[in-house]
Amino acid sequence: MKTLQCKKGFICDMDGVIYHGNELLPGAREFVEWMKAEIKEFLFLTNNSQKSRHELQPKVQRLG
């Protein structure tokens, strides 16, 4: 955990790391809440080109 605390920001893959299909993966919500509480910069990326960011945004919001 000490290693994570010294980081200024994170780049997070979405599918398979934050969620799988239509389910949020264990620990993902807590990690995002921690990044917000610690005022860390973060960015979500995906290598899935089937949907645009405008199509993915509602899914991410629905998952929490």
Side-chain angles (χ1 to χ4, degrees):
M1 186 67 171
K2 206 173 208 178
T3 303
L4 291 178
Q5 290 175 333
C6 70
K7 303 297 180 192
K8 293 181 181 181
F10 298 87
I11 299 173
C12 305
D13 184 29
M14 294 172 67
D15 194 16
V17 176
I18 299 297
Y19 63 77
H20 181 72
N22 288 317
E23 291 191 33
L24 200 59
L25 291 173
R29 181 185 315 269
E30 293 82 0
F31 181 59
V32 172
E33 289 172 358
W34 175 81
M35 289 189 295
K36 288 179 179 180
E38 295 292 319
I39 313 171
K40 303 291 185 183
E41 294 188 42
F42 58 95
L43 180 66
F44 293 110
L45 298 177
T46 182
N47 62 353
N48 185 340
S49 62
Q50 293 179 342
K51 294 187 179 183
S52 72
R53 65 181 173 152
H54 299 292
E55 293 171 304
L56 285 172
Q57 187 176 12
K59 178 178 184 169
V60 172
Q61 289 176 331
R62 184 176 63 252
L63 292 173

